[in-house]
Each structure stands twice: as C-alpha cells, then as structure tokens.
C-alpha cells in the first residue's frame, strides 16, 4: 500500500495460474498490511483467481472470509486451476482509496 510515494505496507506471494500462495506480509504503518490484504483480495477476484493459500489460519483472515479447506479438496482445486491464466493489474492504489466512505464496500476501483 502506498501513502503518496511511500510504501507503507504490503505482502508478497506466488501466482500460479488462478491460485495465489501468500508468503509474507509487512508494514511500516500500523494496519497497512491488513489493508494490503483487502486490496489484494479485490485484485485477485477481478483477475479470476479462485484460491488464495494463506498457509495459516488467523482470526483476522477469518473475518475477511478465510475458510479451512480439506487437503484433498485443496489438491483437487489446485490441479484444476493451476494452468489457467490470471493477470493481475499492477497499478498503485493509495491507501485512502480503500477507506470506508470512499464508495461501495470501502473500495474505489
């Protein structure tokens, strides 16, 4: 997430087809990595990604809609969508575009 020209938080992972595997999050401003997760989920949804592998369950991610998936279902889904194309937009969206009141559910595309 960007505040002006300053990178204040984010995360990284690997996109394999329509599966995103999250690896790590960081923040320089409290809560910025959480905002980055919300932004990424919106971008991934728009790109047609059907699975975000978060590796670990957390209360925060569960509040964002995280659900546990049985291993056999996970493997089946990954095998079905790993070779399908998903293309993420690469534009910078400032943190203030994700604030409540900026339109709709807090997102302003």
């Amino acid at each position: 997430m960007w505040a002006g020209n300053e990178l204040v938080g984010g995360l990284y992972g690997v996109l394999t087809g329509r599966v995103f595997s999250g690896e790590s999050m960081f923040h320089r401003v409290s809560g910025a990595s959480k905002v980055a997760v919300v932004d990424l989920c919106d971008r991934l949804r728009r790109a047609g990604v059907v699975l975000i592998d978060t590796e670990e369950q957390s209360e925060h991610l569960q509040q964002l809609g995280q659900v546990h998936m049985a291993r056999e279902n996970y493997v089946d889904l990954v095998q079905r969508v790993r070779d399908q194309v998903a293309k993420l937009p690469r534009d910078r969206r400032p943190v203030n575009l994700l604030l409540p009141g900026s339109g709709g559910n807090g997102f302003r595309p």
Side-chain angles (χ1 to χ4, degrees):
M1 294 298 350
W2 295 87
N5 289 326
E6 181 183 1
L7 182 61
V8 296
L11 62 149
Y12 74 91
V14 177
L15 181 62
T16 306
R18 293 174 62 197
V19 177
F20 181 83
S21 299
E23 293 298 325
S24 186
M25 297 171 49
F26 74 93
H27 67 275
R28 294 182 177 153
V29 173
S30 181
S33 61
K34 293 176 182 178
V35 174
V37 168
V38 172
D39 179 57
L40 179 65
C41 288
D42 181 56
R43 290 172 183 261
L44 293 172
R45 179 186 56 78
R46 291 171 187 252
V49 171
V50 297
L51 178 65
I52 302 172
D53 181 348
T54 60
E55 296 180 355
E56 301 281 333
Q57 287 186 278
S58 74
E59 185 177 324
H60 172 70
L61 291 175
Q62 288 172 348
Q63 291 172 347
L64 295 175
Q66 178 189 47
V67 294
H68 181 265
M69 179 180 274
R71 178 175 167 70
E72 57 273 9
N73 295 341
Y74 172 84
V75 170
D76 178 61
L77 181 57
V78 168
Q79 288 175 342
R80 286 188 286 125
V81 301
R82 68 181 175 210
D83 296 323
Q84 298 174 6
V85 176
K87 187 170 181 174
L88 287 173
R90 299 175 68 185
D91 60 309
R92 291 183 181 180
R93 292 198 277 184
V95 171
N96 64 341
L97 292 181
L98 300 172
L99 295 174
S102 61
N105 62 358
F107 292 102
R108 187 169 32 173

